[in-house]
Amino acid sequence: MGEFNKIVMVISMKNVSFLKKSIIAHRGYHNIKAGIPENSIPAFKKAIRHNCIIELDIHLTKDNKLVVFHDYNLKRVWGLNNIIEESTYKELFKYNLFNTKHKLPLFEEVLRLVDGKVGLLIEIKNGKFNGKLESILSKYLDNYNGLFAIQSFNPVSILWFKRKKPNYIRGLLASDFKHDKNINNLKSNLSKSLLADVFFKTDFISYDINAMPNSYVDKK
């Protein structure tokens, strides 16, 4: 059975009811024991068969390709101490996901596969914001006929969509990051306080249920 989101969805402005009508398959309906890795085409096919919303993660490669992959570093998946944004798609395509026969997919491949059959919850992964990922992503989504929402831990990315694509459903990801030693106290406190939502007024909040309670979430 796949791994599903352990987050609280707090709805606010736009009609985002589709996010509440189905289970959200986190990184697809994956099961590595069955040879179905996370964020892979077979994981997304299985999510579609079970009528699950697909949550996925996207990065922009060195050669400006949108790829579906969770981590910033390649170590957990491939044992390589490389940064995904510093790699080309051709370099990444050499490797199989978690020693299976499957490759990491391009975002455009996933859009063709899903084709509006289920909703998409797209997490934007960008360590350094410059707007390029968001611009390229929006060109695909402007021509996509299906339900989708974008979300990110990076409030600057969410602000970009608020200004450039106000019709997009956009959400803020947040947690207290207590168990992440790479996150400093300032970033942790800013995320937990959800201060960005106060200023940017996102359409929903995806808040880590393990970081509850949170007074701001309780008031929404």
Side-chain angles (χ1 to χ4, degrees):
M1 186 173 180
E3 179 185 348
F4 298 102
N5 265 347
K6 296 179 180 179
I7 52 182
V8 176
M9 307 295 296
V10 184
I11 308 306
S12 57
M13 294 169 63
K14 294 190 183 78
N15 181 11
V16 293
S17 59
F18 81 93
L19 289 172
K20 299 188 288 182
K21 290 181 178 178
S22 173
I23 290 174
I24 299 173
H26 187 227
R27 306 181 202 172
Y29 201 129
H30 58 92
N31 183 347
I32 195 61
K33 291 181 180 179
I36 303 175
E38 64 184 53
N39 276 328
S40 67
I41 292 297
F44 301 143
K45 285 181 177 178
K46 192 172 182 181
I48 293 169
R49 288 199 300 271
H50 287 270
N51 198 33
C52 295
I53 294 168
I54 294 172
E55 187 272 351
L56 53 80
D57 311 274
I58 59 167
H59 292 263
L60 188 66
T61 63
K62 186 178 180 180
D63 53 343
N64 296 325
K65 300 290 186 182
L66 287 179
V67 293
V68 181
F69 194 80
H70 179 267
D71 300 0
Y72 289 96
N73 191 285
L74 309 182
K75 194 167 186 177
R76 180 176 67 96
V77 179
W78 291 317
L80 302 171
N81 194 26
N82 297 11
I83 305 299
I84 194 163
E85 280 83 1
E86 297 174 0
S87 307
T88 66
Y89 175 67
K90 185 176 181 180
E91 291 168 342
L92 297 169
F93 196 74
K94 293 177 183 177
Y95 309 105
N96 294 348
L97 295 169
F98 293 102
N99 295 315
T100 67
K101 63 181 180 180
H102 305 293
K103 307 285 187 178
L104 89 167
L106 288 166
F107 181 64
E108 60 190 277
E109 292 179 77
V110 178
L111 289 184
R112 287 196 298 269
L113 170 70
V114 178
D115 194 27
K117 300 180 187 74
V118 296
L120 289 173
L121 184 55
I122 304 160
E123 181 176 345
I124 296 165
K125 295 293 188 81
N126 52 358
K128 295 179 180 179
F129 175 83
N130 59 20
K132 187 181 288 187
L133 185 158
E134 289 76 7
S135 180
I136 293 172
L137 173 62
S138 65
K139 290 177 182 177
Y140 283 108
L141 294 179
D142 282 347
N143 296 299
Y144 178 67
N145 292 316
L147 295 171
F148 68 86
I150 57 101
Q151 61 179 1
S152 181
F153 281 103
N154 189 338
V156 182
S157 181
I158 298 303
L159 179 60
W160 188 96
F161 283 102
K162 180 180 175 67
R163 290 174 172 171
K164 304 281 188 179
K165 298 292 177 180
N167 59 309
Y168 284 15
I169 296 171
R170 58 190 184 278
L172 181 66
L173 278 159
S175 177
D176 59 8
F177 295 108
K178 281 184 178 178
H179 304 293
D180 193 335
K181 296 179 181 179
N182 296 316
I183 303 296
N184 60 44
N185 289 334
L186 177 60
K187 187 173 181 179
S188 174
N189 290 331
L190 285 173
S191 179
K192 185 178 181 179
S193 70
L194 293 164
L195 188 63
D197 187 67
V198 175
F199 292 102
F200 301 159
K201 298 300 179 186
T202 54
D203 301 309
F204 67 91
I205 298 167
S206 292
Y207 194 76
D208 183 356
I209 199 169
N210 296 308
M212 294 291 281
N214 181 288
S215 58
Y216 184 85
V217 172
D218 291 341
K219 292 176 184 177
K220 294 293 282 185

